[in-house]
Amino acid sequence: FLYFIEEGGKMLPFKYNDRILVLGDGNLTFTRALCTMNGVDPENVVTSTLEPDECICVETLDDLVDMGCFCITQPVDATYKKVWKILGRDPYDYVLFNFPHTGYNQTLCPEEGIASNQTLLFDVFSNLRRQPFVTRRTKLRISTKTTFPYSEWDIEDVADEAGWKFRSVTEFDCDLFAGQGYRHQTTRARSVRVDVSEAVTWTFVKA
């Protein structure tokens, strides 16, 4: 079932009772935007970030807690083999990971940056596949930019090598989430705004 989002008549691919895990959400503004949308039950959403002490705004955290979202305030590394000890064993219907990035400056050396991020993606895919909260029904949705050098990450091939099957690719509706307060958080602090208008969301399931 697809539930309509009131703003602009947009839709998200979630059932109201779906359990959703958000990984690496920097400042948590994506999760807050998600939880304000019709068709998503905040009490079924668990969110996390790699560097909570540096990224999370107290106001955003308070908003999420008030909505009933479970916020993990300790660092969560998606490549940590025993991450289930933090995230639990109960299965999720969806795992969302927006714009994973090692922080490597791809402008200085695109080839090394591409390799660095392919390694990160492979480690994330491989590790999540072994976690008890990821089942064959779990859909892993990873959003990436489509411009160079992100277009050279070959995410489908990396996923396949790590034991995941490609299901679909759709537009990442940045305007929809930005309208609900989403602000993209870069891996390394930058003084310029990063354009994520040309981005897509890849959906995978365990092979």
Side-chain angles (χ1 to χ4, degrees), residues 9 14 47-48 75 96 104 120 137 191:
F14 309 124
T47 189
S48 64
L96 314 182
Y104 195 98
L120 170 64
R137 296 183 60 182
S191 59

Side-chain angles (χ1 to χ4, degrees), residues 105-116:
N105 191 329
Q106 297 182 107
T107 303
L108 295 178
C109 188
E111 293 80 8
E112 292 185 12
I114 291 167
S116 171

Side-chain angles (χ1 to χ4, degrees), residues 2 27 32 60-61 67 73 98 129 153 162 181 191 203:
L2 291 170
N27 53 26
R32 183 175 61 181
T60 303
L61 182 61
M67 285 188 277
T73 55
N98 293 329
R129 196 178 190 283
W153 287 8
S191 59
T203 301

